[in-house]
Every structure is written in C-alpha cells, then in structure tokens.
C-alpha cells in the first residue's frame, strides 16, 4: 500500500482541505495499478493495487478527501467518515453511504469496480477504511461523493484465515455486501463468464438518486388468507418453452405476458420459487443420460437475499441491475392489477457458500462465525442438508433477515413469504445464551447449538413486527436435521404451514390404502387435529398434494416408483416414499403445470434440468386433450363461490354431517375407503361431497331434503367435458337426464376411484 500521508498528518491535512472545500481543484492523487486474477476456483484480486489510505475527521466539520485516478478516466470522489446505519449502500447527503457489519475483521477496504473492469477482474478504485474514523462498534462505514455511473462495489476484509476458529478472511478476495440490492456478474442465464468461469467475480449495485419506479398507486392486496388459492411457479420455467410465444421468455416480463392465464385459472396468489440471486452454474456438469448439462434450476442456493435474480430479467446486467429490480416490480404491479398476490419462496436456512470446501462469496468472507452455525472447532452444522446452516437466531443475523423481509414488502410490494426448511429458524444459534439473545443472563440457561427453541427470537420478532405481521408468513415446518414441526411451529397466531401431513394422507387415500378414512376426514375439515387446540384456524393449513419437489399430479397417478435416471445419479436421488399408485378446508395450493396434466416422466427431483422436463408446455395446455384445464378452472371458481369451503373457523355439527353409503352412517373402520359429507353453505344452500377410493363401484343413498333435490355438478368418473356440468355446457340437459332415474330414487352411482359434488336446489327449479 502506498499511503500518501501518515496518520499523524491526516487530521491536519483534512482540516486544511476543509477550508478549501468549495475549491474542487484541490485533490490528492491516487495511482491505481491492478493485476489479472489467478483463478483457483475462487476469484482473487491481487494486492498490487496501490491505493490511498482514507481517514476522515471526527470533529463534526464538513471535511473530505478528494481522490482522483490517473489516466484517461478522471473520476473524483470526496470521501467522508460516513454513518454506521443503515447497512448497505444508501443514497444520502448528495452521495452514497456504505456501511457493513464485520466484528472479527481487522481491516476493511471498499472496492469500486466499473462494469467494463468486472469481467477483467480489475478493481477500478479502492478505499482503505481507517478503524479509528471509519468504524463504529463492529460496523465499517464510509461516505463517498462523486461519479458512480456504471460503477459497482464490493469489499475486501483482512483478518485471520483460521477455519478451526470459524474465520475465512482473505484480503485478496472481493466479497459481496449482504445488504446489496442487486448483484452483477453474468448477464444471461446459463452462459459462462470470461474464461468459461462458472463463478466469475460478482459485484454489488450502487444505488442512485434516480432510482424510481412508477407503482401507479399500487399497494398490497391484503386478501384474507382463507380466500387464497396459491399457484407455485418457477419464473424461468413458466415461459421458457418455445410454445409460450412470449417476447421475453424465461423472465419476469415473460410471466407478466402470461398473467391472464392465471386470472383465467382462478388463482389469486402466485408463490415464486427462489428469485433471490443464485448461481445456476453452481454444479454445472455433463449429464450423459440426456446429453445436456445439469444446472441449479430450482435456485434453492442463495448468494444474496436482497437482490432479485438478475438473469430472470430481460435486462440482465443492463444499468447495473437497476432495470432488473424494476422488472420484478413490474411483475408485482401487474399481478396486483389482476387481483393476484405475489409470495416469495425464501431460503434463510443456508447459502451457496457451503461448508469449509465451499466458495467465499459474501457472508463467509464478511464474518463467517456470525452468519453460520458453527461447532466449537469451526465445523459447519448442516441442518439444511446443503453444507451449512444460517445462524438465524444470532442477533445480527436475525436483524439482517428482518431488514431483508421488510425491504421486499416495502420496496418491492411482496404480499407474503414461504420459508424453505423454516424449522431451522427455530434452532438456537452458535454460542446461544441469554446474554447473547436478551442482553442479560438467566440462571442455569445453557442451550446447545441447534436446539429447537419454544420461542425463537427471530420468529417472535417477525411475528410482532408492524410490517411483517400484515403479510402472509408460511413455514415449511421441517428441516433436513430431522426436526418436524407440522402443527407445532411457533406461530403467534400469524404463521401458516405447508401441511405435509395433509399431502401424505391424501395421497394414501388416492391410492386406496386402508386405514386412512378418519385421517382424511380431518384433512377435509382443515386439520383441526393439528391446529384447533393451539388456537389456530383452518387457513393456517396450506393444503397441497403436489409441489416442485416430488411427482407432478399426473405422475402421481401414473408411476409406482420414481424415475430419476435423467438426473445422472443412478436413480439414487429424490424421495422413495411417494405414496403414488398407477390408478390411471384450508388454503389450496397447486403447482405450475398441474392444471393441464404436466408430466416429468416420473422424475420426482428435477432440480437440475433447464429443459422441457421443468418447462410449462403451453401447447399442451391449448390442446383439446387439456380438458383438465377446464376442470381446474371451474373447480377454482366453485371454491371461490362456496363460503363454507373458505370458512374462518373449523366446521361443527351444526353445518357438517358425515355420511357413508347411507345418510348419517359414516364408516371409519380400517377397511373403509369411502368418505362423504354434507356442508351447509350460505351461497349454495348445501353441498354433498363424496370420495370413493375403492376399486369397487357403489350406489349411494343421498340425504333426504324435503322440497329440495340434489343436482350433480362434478363426477370425476365421467369423460370430459361432462365431469363438470357447468351451466354453459352444451348437451348439459341430455347429460342430466342420464342421472334422473337414480336421483328420483334419491340415489347416485359412483364408480371406483372417483369423487362427486352435488348441490341442493329447490324442487321447483327442476
């Protein structure tokens, strides 16, 4: 380092400069010399860069150092002491304030990198921060004024590189600011960086005063959760298939072009699979089975939590990521215009940095022992199954998570979040104790790292936060370490859960397994066995049968076993217990593509396929054989119309009656495969619903309702389009006559493996 002035002279020089702060010609020159990166799997910037050591006065006067590059590009920066809050890069006082937490680093350097220098692994400008003037507590900070056009930033931290102590400081390597609002590296999905690098250098967007977006009066929709029908979607997969015929396939704008499809389907909420910045080339490798390459398609491996995935935008790295942010905002705004809420699937359980053999990208190089859950000798706990575990209940980390979620709600207008492996957020942090968490000791309070907590500080803070308590919070209430909390997740009457038990029970019933009729009845009521006693509601249960990780709905009833050979792992990956069979009340959730019967060929773990396996096939949806889409559309419409199916409370005997083959005689025996019930509805009067999961047909007797008659609406045993007898169906009257001799006797024939819905109408409506 070539320092142009000593510490003892700094204050005197700065005070002298302050007297001439209105004279821009006075500057301290800085010579910037860089060398090329030597790539050993990570990106390192050499230490041959000569830079000015920056020290700002602390006496309260408006002081600054002006630094200038030599050479053809003249960039002048005024450098101020800066402020420790807020974290990240923030436009203020005519410049940009940079602040970052690092308790264990002994030195910090702010690096500015131009867009043109980034692929060359070259630092354009760097500022060595003085721990006396540019550090408050454990926060490093500096304030710059100057020309930031096409400029990015990152940090270098010095300190101990001692994995056994939990530290990974490498002053030759630039790391990302955890609070960066956009991350820039490669511009196009699946395309290598320079020198065919899967992990090219990344850098952070610098905000500008011109960052504006016209929300056109948009605000959160704030639907009651009981009224939601959730659609799980992958942004790229939704429109990347050539049959989508979109102008911007595989992007946020591509989704915007197809929002009317979702409106037609009747969903009023989309749950976006991970859209935080991740590296799809993370485990890029040749797949000999399909003859293509495996990528991280799903995105459950975040690099940065504040940044939208830039390669999901049509803009890519254009305008240093500002345009990518605006494309995401456009998606949210246009979804809201169509009455569709937007949820994000967030992964606060681990990051892409893996264990001790993983790359140093951000958190690991900023303060590894703070951000990750570590054992006493520095080993990474692996409750995520992905190499590391985010240290969620550490005071700094939980504040980071809170700040991040607030940002997505306030700045991006996101309506809710689904938390991947949310049970990790209930585990105690490294060195968890009462002083660490609450600021004061408690006698006898000693909790082992990773212990599940009854009142996790992070969950409590989120649940009582004035911003977050007004959005939907959904937990995947388990983790890879064996913690399973479905029905028991700490909730503060705010949280909902992916109801994995609902999924498993419904699948058992569909395949005709004995002994599940009673459990299935509980599921139909919103799982009161899980939620009622703890003061929760039916809408706290997110009911799904299929999701991204598992069989599609079509494959669920087509394949007995998984067929994952296309993943190139000899069929060893993916869940073996699928509860599937080749048999040809809560908040419902459906997965993208199930509305037309999408198949993945029996593959239940398609995380690595950027191809037709994961793409939505728009041509299939349009084919006449996709009558299933019509059925799904009409079913969602019926679900919205029925007040009783979205009730705020669990049904009671006053409105719910169970039946068997005869009225009022339900069969809860181990061999029963038939469940039926009637439900009083303020809109439909009363509805009759029955499920026959037996391989035998049955003729059922319907409940007597004097002066009323039962009219068939749905019978899944009928061929399309007669499985749903909508009012506008041609030949509907002819189809109804086929039932007449049964209905006149108050009977109805049910075929095997079928379900029916009948509605109650006055006799004079015949």
């Amino acid at each position: 380092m070539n320092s142009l002035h000593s510490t003892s002279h700094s204050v005197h020089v700065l005070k002298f400069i302050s007297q001439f702060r209105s004279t821009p010609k006075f500057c301290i020159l800085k010579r910037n010399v860089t060398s090329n990166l030597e790539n050993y799997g990570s990106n390192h910037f050499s230490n041959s860069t000569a830079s000015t050591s920056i020290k700002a006065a602390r006496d309260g006067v408006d002081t600054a150092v002006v630094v200038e590059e030599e050479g053809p590009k003249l960039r002048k920066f005024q450098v101020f002491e800066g402020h420790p809050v807020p974290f990240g890069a923030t436009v203020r006082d005519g410049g940009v304030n940079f602040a970052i937490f690092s308790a264990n680093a002994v030195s910090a350097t702010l690096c500015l990198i131009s867009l043109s220098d980034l692929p060359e692994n070259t630092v354009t400008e760097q500022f060595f921060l003085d721990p006396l003037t540019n550090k408050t507590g454990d926060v490093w900070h500096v304030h710059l004024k100057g020309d930031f056009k096409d400029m990015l930033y990152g940090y270098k931290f010095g300190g101990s590189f001692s994995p056994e102590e939990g530290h990974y400081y490498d002053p030759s390597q630039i790391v990302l600011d955890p609070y960066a609002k956009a991350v820039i590296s490669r511009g196009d999905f699946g395309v290598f960086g320079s020198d065919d690098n899967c992990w090219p250098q990344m850098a952070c967007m610098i905000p500008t005063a011109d960052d504006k977006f016209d929300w056109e009066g948009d605000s959160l929709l704030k639907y009651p959760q009981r009224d939601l029908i959730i659609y799980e979607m992958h942004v790229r997969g939704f429109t990347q298939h050539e049959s989508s015929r979109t102008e911007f396939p595989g992007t946020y704008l591509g989704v915007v072009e197809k929002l009317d499809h979702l409106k037609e389907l009747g969903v009023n909420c989309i749950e976006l699979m991970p859209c935080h910045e991740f590296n799809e080339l993370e485990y890029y490798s040749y797949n000999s089975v399909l003859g293509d390459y495996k990528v991280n398609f799903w995105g459950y491996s975040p690099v940065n939590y504040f940044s939208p995935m830039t390669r999901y935008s049509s803009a890519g790295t254009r305008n240093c990521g500002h345009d990518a942010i605006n494309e995401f905002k456009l998606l949210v705004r246009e979804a809201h215009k169509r009455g569709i809420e937007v949820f994000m699937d967030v992964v606060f359980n681990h990051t892409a940095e893996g264990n001790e053999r993983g790359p140093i990208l951000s958190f690991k190089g900023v303060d590894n022992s703070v951000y990750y859950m570590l054992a006493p000798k520095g080993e990474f706990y692996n409750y995520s199954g992905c190499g590391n575990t985010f240290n969620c209940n550490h005071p700094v980390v939980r504040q980071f998570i809170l700040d991040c979620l607030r940002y997505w709600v306030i700045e991006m207008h996101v309506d809710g979040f689904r938390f991947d492996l949310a049970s990790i957020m209930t585990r105690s942090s490294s060195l968890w104790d009462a002083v660490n968490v609450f600021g004061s000791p408690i006698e006898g309070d000693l909790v082992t790292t990773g212990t599940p907590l009854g009142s996790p500080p992070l969950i409590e803070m989120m649940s009582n936060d004035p911003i977050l308590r007004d959005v939907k919070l959904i937990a995947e209430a388990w983790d890879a370490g064996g913690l399973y909390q479905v029905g028991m997740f700490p909730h503060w009457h705010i949280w909902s859960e992916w109801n994995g038990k609902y999924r498993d029970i419904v699948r058992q019933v569909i395949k005709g397994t004995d002994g599940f009729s009673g459990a299935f009845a509980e599921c139909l009521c919103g799982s009161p066995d899980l939620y009622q006693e703890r003061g929760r509601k039916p809408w706290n249960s997110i009911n799904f049968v299929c999701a991204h990780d598992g069989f599609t709905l079509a494959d669920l009833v087509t394949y007995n076993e998984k067929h994952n050979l296309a993943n190139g792992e000899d069929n060893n990956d993916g869940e073996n217990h699928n509860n599937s069979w080749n048999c040809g009340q809560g908040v419902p959730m459906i997965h993208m593509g199930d509305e037309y019967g999408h198949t993945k060929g029996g593959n239940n773990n398609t995380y690595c396929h950027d191809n037709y396996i994961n793409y939505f096939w728009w041509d299939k949806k349009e084919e006449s054989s996709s009558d299933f889409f019509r059925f799904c559309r009409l079913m969602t419409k019926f679900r919205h119309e029925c007040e009783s199916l979205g009730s705020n409370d669990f049904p009671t005997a006053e409105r719910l009656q169970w039946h068997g083959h005869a009225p009022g005689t339900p069969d809860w025996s181990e061999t029963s495969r038939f469940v039926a019930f009637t439900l009083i509805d303020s809109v439909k009067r009363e509805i009759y619903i029955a499920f026959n999961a037996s391989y035998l047909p049955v003729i059922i007797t319907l409940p007597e309702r004097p002066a009323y008659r039962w009219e068939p609406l749905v019978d899944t045993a009928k061929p399309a389009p007669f499985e749903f007898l909508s009012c506008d169906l041609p030949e509907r009257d002819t189809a109804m006559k086929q039932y007449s001799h049964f209905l006149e006797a108050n009977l109805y024939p049910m075929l095997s493996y079928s379900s029916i819905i009948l509605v109650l109408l006055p006799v004079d409506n015949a």
Side-chain angles (χ1 to χ4, degrees):
M1 181 181 72
N2 180 20
S3 178
L4 298 185
H5 53 275
S6 68
T7 302
S8 61
H9 290 105
S10 297
V11 174
H12 296 289
V13 173
L14 288 167
K15 288 182 177 179
F16 175 75
I17 294 173
S18 69
Q19 300 175 21
F20 296 92
R21 58 184 178 271
S22 61
T23 307
K25 293 182 180 179
F26 188 92
C27 57
I28 295 176
L29 298 180
K30 170 182 176 236
R31 183 169 57 87
N32 197 31
V33 181
T34 62
S35 66
N36 291 328
L37 166 72
E38 292 184 2
N39 189 346
Y40 295 99
S42 300
N43 289 313
H44 297 268
F45 286 73
S46 76
N47 287 324
S48 61
T49 302
S51 306
T52 301
S53 179
I54 303 302
K55 292 176 180 284
R58 301 177 61 90
D59 56 7
V61 298
D62 185 13
T63 59
V65 173
V66 183
V67 295
E68 181 181 276
E69 288 184 7
E70 285 184 343
K73 294 185 288 185
L74 296 177
R75 297 229 185 185
K76 299 179 180 179
F77 293 95
Q78 292 178 299
V79 185
F80 300 85
E81 167 183 319
H83 303 271
V85 291
F87 289 170
T90 308
V91 175
R92 61 173 298 169
D93 304 328
V96 178
N97 189 78
F98 299 86
I100 187 169
F101 171 91
S102 183
N104 292 293
V106 298
S107 67
T109 304
L110 173 66
C111 301
L112 300 185
I113 310 168
S114 69
L115 269 179
S116 58
D117 281 342
L118 183 64
E120 303 300 324
N121 302 314
T122 301
V123 176
T124 309
E125 185 74 83
Q126 57 185 352
F127 305 90
F128 295 96
L129 305 187
D130 183 355
L132 297 178
T133 59
N134 298 110
K135 188 180 182 185
T136 302
D138 294 327
V139 180
W140 301 81
H141 49 80
V142 66
H143 185 265
L144 301 182
K145 293 183 180 180
D147 179 12
F148 293 101
K149 180 176 174 55
D150 293 334
M151 196 70 80
L152 308 167
Y153 79 99
Y155 288 95
K156 295 179 183 178
F157 288 100
S160 172
F161 190 93
S162 51
E164 68 281 1
E165 296 178 328
H167 303 312
Y168 287 82
Y169 290 112
D170 182 353
S172 71
Q173 183 161 338
I174 291 180
V175 295
L176 299 172
D177 181 355
Y179 278 78
K181 303 308 185 292
V183 171
I184 302 302
S185 60
R186 299 172 294 105
D188 298 312
F189 193 94
V191 177
F192 292 120
S194 58
D195 300 324
D196 293 336
N197 192 350
C198 290
W199 283 103
Q201 178 62 44
M202 295 175 284
C204 310
M205 178 196 79
I206 298 178
T208 71
D210 299 327
D211 292 346
K212 292 181 175 61
F213 178 79
D214 185 4
W215 281 105
E216 299 179 0
D218 178 72
S219 61
L220 304 187
L221 296 180
K222 295 186 177 181
Y223 291 144
Q225 186 157 311
R226 64 179 179 271
D227 294 335
L228 294 183
I229 295 180
I230 302 173
Y231 185 91
E232 188 188 31
M233 171 197 293
H234 188 282
V235 168
R236 179 171 172 84
F238 193 52
T239 62
Q240 184 61 27
H241 195 272
E242 59 184 11
S243 64
S244 74
R245 297 188 294 276
T246 54
E247 184 177 357
F248 302 102
T251 67
Y252 303 123
L253 293 185
V255 175
V256 172
E257 293 181 68
K258 291 295 188 179
L259 284 174
D260 288 339
H261 162 76
L262 301 176
K263 183 72 173 178
E264 180 186 9
L265 179 58
V267 300
N268 55 7
C269 174
I270 52 176
E271 180 179 296
L272 303 177
M273 290 173 64
C275 290
H276 292 147
E277 186 68 25
F278 68 92
N279 182 6
E280 72 279 8
L281 300 179
E282 179 180 358
Y283 32 75
Y284 185 84
S285 60
Y286 182 68
N287 185 346
S288 60
V289 177
L290 294 182
D292 62 2
Y293 290 85
K294 295 168 59 176
V295 300
N296 178 4
F297 186 75
W298 283 353
Y300 289 91
S301 190
V303 168
N304 182 278
Y305 291 102
F306 280 84
S307 309
M309 176 63 168
T310 55
R311 291 175 299 286
Y312 281 172
S313 71
S314 66
T317 59
R318 189 177 67 223
N319 199 17
C320 293
H322 296 273
D323 290 353
I325 293 174
N326 285 341
E327 281 194 25
F328 185 91
K329 290 180 177 179
L330 180 67
L331 166 57
V332 176
R333 187 190 73 189
E334 295 306 304
H336 285 176
K337 285 182 179 179
R338 292 163 176 81
I340 300 173
E341 292 193 340
V342 179
F343 290 3
M344 292 185 69
D345 192 340
V346 292
V347 189
F348 287 109
N349 57 76
H350 79 284
T351 76
E353 292 184 300
N355 57 21
E356 63 276 1
R357 294 185 296 274
I360 300 173
L361 307 172
S362 179
F363 306 96
K364 187 184 286 187
V366 173
D367 210 329
N368 181 74
S369 63
V370 167
Y371 283 105
Y372 294 113
M373 195 181 292
L374 303 179
K377 294 184 179 181
E379 304 97 331
F380 288 82
Y381 280 91
N382 189 20
Y383 293 116
S384 68
C386 298
N388 63 50
T389 304
F390 216 49
N391 205 19
C392 295
N393 282 297
H394 186 284
V396 170
V397 182
R398 67 176 185 254
Q399 186 61 53
F400 166 80
I401 294 174
L402 233 67
D403 291 343
C404 181
L405 296 173
R406 287 170 178 164
Y407 172 80
W408 285 99
V409 174
I410 296 172
E411 296 296 330
M412 311 295 265
H413 290 203
V414 167
D415 300 276
F417 304 93
R418 178 264 187 187
F419 294 83
D420 184 66
L421 299 184
S423 290
I424 282 177
M425 300 193 300
T426 72
R427 292 184 181 271
S428 62
S429 61
S430 299
L431 303 179
W432 194 98
D433 56 43
V435 175
N436 189 6
V437 176
F438 300 109
S440 60
I442 299 176
E443 186 69 27
D445 182 66
L446 180 63
V447 181
T448 304
T449 299
T451 300
L453 304 172
S455 297
L458 171 61
I459 305 301
E460 182 177 18
M461 291 173 67
M462 293 168 61
S463 303
N464 292 284
D465 184 81
I467 302 298
L468 300 181
R469 68 177 293 110
D470 281 342
V471 301
K472 282 80 171 181
L473 304 176
I474 302 171
E476 184 184 38
W478 56 84
D479 65 22
L483 183 56
Y484 191 80
Q485 297 175 307
V486 172
M488 299 176 290
F489 191 84
H491 58 85
W492 278 268
H493 302 285
I494 298 293
W495 287 77
S496 300
E497 299 171 7
W498 264 28
N499 192 342
K501 292 184 178 180
Y502 175 97
R503 172 199 58 201
D504 298 339
I505 291 169
V506 170
R507 287 186 174 194
Q508 293 283 10
V509 171
I510 289 174
K511 65 182 284 195
T513 306
D514 286 341
F516 283 91
S517 59
F520 182 55
E522 293 276 6
C523 291
L524 294 173
C525 292
S527 300
D529 56 323
L530 296 177
Y531 301 112
Q532 190 170 26
E533 287 188 5
R534 304 190 71 204
R536 302 169 84 178
K537 301 290 185 178
W539 49 264
N540 289 125
S541 171
I542 306 300
N543 295 340
F544 68 104
V545 178
C546 299
H548 65 276
D549 51 350
F551 281 154
T552 67
L553 191 60
D555 290 348
L556 186 66
V557 293
T558 305
Y559 295 93
N560 290 335
E561 299 174 348
K562 65 183 182 181
H563 292 263
N564 294 2
L565 290 173
N567 299 352
E569 300 178 35
D570 296 326
N571 209 41
N572 291 319
D573 62 307
E575 176 61 57
N576 289 314
H577 304 287
N578 297 289
N579 292 330
S580 58
W581 187 49
N582 187 353
C583 61
Q585 192 94 207
V587 176
M589 186 191 84
I590 59 177
H591 179 61
M592 178 185 86
D594 279 344
E595 68 265 38
Y596 68 82
H598 181 75
T599 179
K600 297 180 180 179
N603 193 328
N604 70 354
N605 191 31
T606 61
Y607 69 99
C608 60
H609 296 291
D610 182 27
N611 56 35
Y612 67 93
I613 294 177
N614 279 318
Y615 295 166
F616 190 104
W617 300 354
W618 292 93
D619 50 350
K620 296 294 184 182
K621 181 254 176 179
E622 300 295 339
E623 288 178 358
S624 59
S625 61
S626 69
D627 289 320
F628 191 58
F629 174 73
R630 171 186 175 272
F631 179 78
C632 290
R633 175 175 58 82
L634 292 173
M635 284 301 299
T636 56
K637 181 175 182 292
F638 180 75
R639 169 66 168 73
H640 284 306
E641 291 173 347
C642 290
E643 162 272 331
S644 58
L645 297 180
S647 175
N648 195 49
D649 294 300
F650 294 100
T652 65
E654 294 178 354
R655 66 186 311 181
L656 173 69
Q657 185 179 11
W658 296 104
H659 307 290
H661 294 167
T665 58
D667 183 359
W668 307 122
S669 67
E670 282 293 308
T671 58
S672 173
R673 299 183 182 182
F674 183 86
V675 176
F677 63 95
T678 49
L679 192 61
I680 303 296
D681 188 271
S682 62
V683 177
K684 301 290 185 181
R685 295 185 183 86
E686 192 173 6
I687 55 178
Y688 179 95
I689 301 176
F691 302 86
N692 182 21
S694 170
Y695 60 91
L696 298 173
V698 61
I699 297 179
I700 59 174
T701 302
L702 300 172
E704 293 282 353
R705 297 293 185 262
Y708 290 90
R709 62 184 177 85
W710 292 105
E711 180 174 281
L713 180 67
V714 173
D715 187 339
T716 60
K718 302 295 183 184
F722 300 106
E723 83 278 33
F724 198 114
L725 297 177
S726 58
C727 295
D728 60 350
L729 179 67
E731 303 181 2
R732 179 179 184 274
D733 292 341
T734 301
M736 293 293 293
K737 290 179 180 178
Q738 297 177 358
Y739 299 96
S740 58
H741 60 292
F742 284 102
L743 294 172
E744 289 171 359
N746 217 37
L747 303 173
Y748 192 90
M750 286 191 71
L751 297 185
S752 59
Y753 302 111
S754 67
S755 57
I756 62 171
I757 301 176
L758 291 82
V759 295
L760 193 66
L761 296 176
V763 171
D764 56 10
N765 255 16

